[in-house]
Amino acid sequence: QIQLVESGGGSVQSGGSLRLSCAVSGYIASSMCMAWFRQAPGKEREGVASIQTGGGTTYYVDSVKGRFTISQDSAKNTVLLQMNSLKPEDTAMYYCAAAGWLACGNGLQDLRDFPFWGQGTQVTVSS
């Protein structure tokens, strides 16, 4: 089993920055797919970014490319999401998710690829 705990959400103005953290505990394989998803009110949960631990390969959806950066701190078993140039449309509950490394090859299209989820952290961006 893997446990995921997100932190770092909050309220910022448009153009601001936030850094989300996902603390990972439990059984951690040498290579996994770690990802961030988000869900805005009334909308479906969508993928934001992923990283294949061990190899470091990253993926971003088009709407966040150039603004968000996903990274890992292996020593702390933590996955980070640095979010810059935030926009009101980034407002959502952000979730950390974990899966086997193959899940990173599916473009975050299927939530069912990820069996482990955190509880989420709220990000609110005001204009």
Side-chain angles (χ1 to χ4, degrees), residues 55-69:
T57 301
T58 58
Y59 168 82
Y60 300 92
V61 295
D62 287 345
S63 59
V64 306
K65 282 181 180 176
R67 301 188 298 123
F68 290 11
T69 302

Side-chain angles (χ1 to χ4, degrees), residues 54-125:
T57 301
T58 58
Y59 168 82
Y60 300 92
V61 295
D62 287 345
S63 59
V64 306
K65 282 181 180 176
R67 301 188 298 123
F68 290 11
T69 302
I70 188 170
S71 62
Q72 61 178 110
D73 184 337
S74 300
K76 297 181 179 180
N77 285 339
T78 301
V79 177
L80 305 172
L81 185 68
Q82 178 67 42
M83 306 186 295
N84 298 328
S85 302
L86 283 162
K87 305 174 181 179
E89 50 263 44
D90 294 318
T91 295
M93 185 71 78
Y94 282 70
Y95 297 90
C96 180
W101 65 274
L102 284 173
C104 275
N106 202 23
L108 303 179
Q109 295 297 308
D110 192 340
L111 302 181
R112 296 171 297 179
D113 289 339
F114 292 84
F116 303 105
W117 293 83
Q119 294 300 306
T121 185
Q122 178 68 37
V123 171
T124 302
V125 185

Side-chain angles (χ1 to χ4, degrees), residues 3-15:
Q3 293 79 45
L4 307 172
V5 178
E6 304 96 334
S7 62
S11 297
V12 295
Q13 291 190 328
S14 182

Side-chain angles (χ1 to χ4, degrees), residues 23-71:
V24 185
S25 61
Y27 176 74
I28 302 172
S30 58
S31 183
M32 298 174 56
C33 182
M34 299 297 302
W36 287 95
F37 289 78
R38 66 186 180 187
Q39 187 167 17
K43 295 187 176 181
E44 294 185 351
R45 193 171 298 190
E46 63 174 359
V48 175
S50 68
I51 185 167
Q52 192 174 58
T53 66
T57 301
T58 58
Y59 168 82
Y60 300 92
V61 295
D62 287 345
S63 59
V64 306
K65 282 181 180 176
R67 301 188 298 123
F68 290 11
T69 302
I70 188 170
S71 62

